[in-house]
Structures are given as structure tokens and as C-alpha cells.
Amino acid sequence: TRAAHAAPRAPSLAAALRSGPVALLTEVKRRSPSKGAIAPGLDAPTQARAYVEGGAAAISVLTEPDHFGGSNADLVAVRNAVAEPALKKDFHVRPIQLVEARALGASAALLIMRALSPARFREMMDRGRELELELLVEVRDEAELERALEGGATIIGVNNRNLETLIIDPGTAERIIPRIPRWALAIAESGIQRREGVERYASFGADAVLVGSSISAAPDPVAATHALAGVPRRVRAD
């Protein structure tokens, strides 16, 4: 806890995602349960620098080792390599994990609404505020969105992937994003491979998209990121 509070204030993820065109939250990802090996030899800081050169606003770092091939060392290396905010992407279910994220220099950590009881979600939100750690709250349906907003979430990720079946349904974000209030940030997650996908979610009011597997596997991550960047943002209706 002492290390977390002593760590320098990290750059704001919300601020990075809120300005300019639809923001790109690009992911350092070596493998996944759904795809297996994606980029086993990926070097986290090199990949992060390529993303930023291509126009990424922030970097998502998968730190879970067994299923995603990540580590806390990847997050530290990315924070040392680029000035842009880093999201610690893991299954955070205990407050001590948020302390760890803050100590490692993360700007934000992921909370998956489906994995948290109402009481634990409130506890995690409170701990994040105490630590001045931003929290990206991931939802998959209207009930989860309502609970996230009631709990004070201001950065909402809508995951098109069903975490039980691993099936992607692009209609999930299309349905949920228009329901997110304008004062909160709306991020479309999973299944985005081409610029047309970014444009599609922009039309529904997405402030940002999280791109993982397709961009991690790209032979030229600078060009792959650049191809997705610059899509105009559309304001969601009240």
C-alpha cells in the first residue's frame, strides 16, 4: 500500500480517450483462450511504441500469465517506454490487486462487472477512488450497465465477447453504447479488425475502441494502428 501511494500520479486514461477522434486503446497481447497463440514473441515496450507511433491514445496490457502470456513486468516496461496511459487488464476481483496496479504505474485497471458481486463491486470502486486509480468497468448487458452507473463508473467498456462461450456478437456494443450517458466514456471491445469496424461503433456513439488480437498479430503494428486511427467521433444523444 505504501508503494501505491508513493507512486507518481499516472496520466489520465479518461483524458486520453476523451479528446479528438475515436480513441484507440491498443492491446499488448501474446495469446488468448479463444485464439491460442497470437504473438508469442511480442516485446511489450516495442509493441507499445509502435502503437503510439501509429496513433494510439492509450495502451492496454494483459498481465495475466497463464491464459494471456502477460506479466506485471510487461506493464512496467510499457510505462517506461511510452508517456501514454496504461490500462492493467486482468481479472481484478480483490482490492489488493488495485493497490498493485497503482504501485506498478497503471493509469487504470479493468473491472469485469460479471465477475463481481454488488458488494465487492462497491468495495473495488471505493478502493480505486482512494488510490486515484481510474477503473474501466466492463459490461455486457443492460442490467450490468445500470449497476455500473449506479456504482459511479465513468469509463464503461462494452464487451462483444461472451466470456462463457467466447463467441463475439457485434450487436452487443451497438445495443448498449447508445444507452451510456454522455458524461461517461463508452468503449467498444472485441472483434474489431478493420477501419469499418471503428466507423461502425463510432456511428453508435463510441468514444473509443479496444483492439487486441488483430493488432497484436499484425506484422506492421504501426501501419495496423494507423489504419484504424482518425475516425470522427459522434456525440451520443441524451
Side-chain angles (χ1 to χ4, degrees), residues 6 30-31 35 56 58 65 93 97 111 133 137 141-142 186 188 218 228 230:
R30 294 189 182 91
R31 63 176 182 261
K35 294 182 179 293
V93 295
Q97 292 176 289
L111 297 184
L133 177 74
V137 180
D141 59 33
E142 290 82 352
L228 303 176

Side-chain angles (χ1 to χ4, degrees), residues 178-218:
R179 298 172 178 266
I180 298 175
R182 284 170 58 179
W183 50 261
L185 281 163
I187 306 171
E189 303 176 6
S190 296
I192 299 158
Q193 300 181 10
R194 292 178 290 276
R195 188 177 186 85
E196 291 78 8
V198 182
E199 292 170 342
R200 182 184 182 95
Y201 291 119
S203 73
F204 291 95
D207 297 295
V209 295
L210 188 150
V211 189
S213 301
S214 64
I215 204 165
S216 287

Side-chain angles (χ1 to χ4, degrees), residues 74-91:
D74 286 335
L75 177 61
V76 173
V78 167
R79 284 292 300 119
N80 289 335
V82 300
E84 283 67 21
L87 167 72
K88 185 176 185 291
K89 197 155 182 271
D90 204 334
F91 297 94

Side-chain angles (χ1 to χ4, degrees), residues 56-86:
I59 311 297
S60 170
V61 184
L62 281 153
T63 57
E64 195 281 326
D66 297 331
H67 301 290
F68 294 96
S71 69
N72 288 342
D74 286 335
L75 177 61
V76 173
V78 167
R79 284 292 300 119
N80 289 335
V82 300
E84 283 67 21

